[in-house]
Amino acid sequence: MTVGNALNLSADEVLSTTRSVRKRLDLERPVPREVLLECLELALQAPTGSNSQGWQWIFVEDAERKKALADIYRTNATPYLDAPKPAFGDERDLRRPQVVDSARYLNEHLHEVPVMLIPCLEGRADKAPGVSSAGFWGSLLPAVWSFMLALRSRGLGSAWTTLHLVGDGEKQAADLLGIPFDQYSQGGLFPIGYTKGTDFRPAKRLPAEQLTHWNGW
Ligand SMILES: Cc1cc2nc3c(=O)[nH]c(=O)nc-3n(C[C@H](O)[C@H](O)[C@H](O)COP(=O)(O)O)c2cc1C
């Protein structure tokens, strides 16, 4: 099945409305592999340092493995979500209850999502001599975001998550999925599903003007 940009959104609409989808992931509707591969083909157009393309993409559909990954995620996410967070002191504080509520929902339902993605990059970020962490992750994360944009333009959604990686979590996930832990780093865990409705809006962000510097800090 090839579905392309099924929603006919403009590039700017896709860029401004690709949200973290948690409560609006359709947990019942299966996601065909063809759609995932189509999104991945687009994502692989992203840049990598020296055109290295040292990435591997692990999709998990198996119910037992999804449950095991969700358990790893929960071990870290539950205390994180329960812990008090320092205030930003600006409008970001207003949206926080909504974000936490949504994140709690995902924490509870993660094992139910149709597909999970763990994108991996060759090497270990902390053991790459002569490579900064920006240089390392810069060869994976642009493609991951492209993948999320491609999902959005086809009526699917995801949420960027990293909490399963904390502590022993990355190693446990590696052992579960057979990822060679010493040779590959995991970039996150991405729940994937069709979205319930396709009407997503731009988020309120800090204004660009407040964050911009011209010709120096
Ligand atoms: C590096 C990174 C790590 C994140 N980790 C998590 C996570 O572990 N769990 C989660 O529910 N959301 C996670 N998020 C999603 C953020 O909470 C979300 O992007 C933010 O609240 C803004 O919401 P929006 O993406 O809908 O605009 C993460 C996002 C990023 C970029």
Side-chain angles (χ1 to χ4, degrees), residues 2 28 41 44 54 68 76 88 122 133 137 149 151 157 169 189:
T2 311
E28 308 299 330
E41 289 289 0
L44 298 183
N76 292 326
F88 289 111
E122 192 171 16
S133 60
W137 289 114
L149 297 173
L151 288 176
L189 190 166

Side-chain angles (χ1 to χ4, degrees), residues 3-191:
V3 287
N5 184 354
L7 301 187
N8 277 320
L9 300 173
S10 69
D12 283 8
E13 283 170 321
V14 173
L15 286 166
S16 61
T17 63
T18 302
R19 299 267 71 77
S20 295
V21 186
R22 304 183 185 92
K23 290 184 175 179
R24 289 177 62 188
L25 287 176
D26 188 335
L27 303 177
E28 308 299 330
R29 184 171 170 190
V31 175
R33 286 187 177 184
E34 291 78 2
V35 176
L36 298 170
L37 284 171
E38 193 176 89
C39 293
L40 188 55
E41 289 289 0
L42 287 168
L44 298 183
Q45 294 294 319
T48 54
S50 304
N51 195 24
S52 50
Q53 301 174 60
W55 42 36
Q56 300 287 332
W57 303 78
I58 305 179
F59 292 98
V60 182
E61 306 158 311
D62 176 78
E64 277 182 30
R65 290 188 176 190
K66 283 189 293 183
K67 184 178 177 312
L69 286 171
D71 286 344
I72 296 168
Y73 180 88
R74 260 180 224 122
T75 301
N76 292 326
T78 303
Y80 176 80
L81 291 169
D82 287 346
K85 310 278 180 309
F88 289 111
D90 58 34
E91 65 192 37
R92 285 173 288 181
D93 295 328
L94 301 176
R95 208 179 153 229
R96 180 169 272 163
Q98 195 187 333
V99 174
V100 172
D101 187 53
S102 170
R104 281 191 199 285
Y105 174 90
L106 181 68
N107 194 31
E108 279 167 30
H109 293 274
L110 185 56
H111 59 288
E112 298 170 51
V113 303
V115 189
M116 295 174 179
L117 165 65
I118 296 191
C120 297
L121 183 62
E122 192 171 16
R124 300 293 312 168
D126 47 356
K127 290 187 190 148
V131 180
S132 62
S133 60
F136 184 80
W137 289 114
S139 287
L140 181 67
L141 304 186
V144 176
W145 183 239
S146 289
F147 182 82
M148 288 180 68
L149 297 173
L151 288 176
R152 165 68 178 138
S153 73
R154 285 157 178 76
L156 295 93
S158 185
W160 199 292
T161 88
T162 50
L163 281 168
H164 90 280
L165 300 168
V166 177
D168 292 334
E170 184 183 358
K171 177 77 169 67
Q172 289 169 13
D175 291 346
L176 177 77
L177 301 173
I179 300 167
F181 179 79
D182 292 335
Q183 294 159 44
Y184 280 85
S185 301
Q186 298 166 43
L189 190 166
F190 298 79

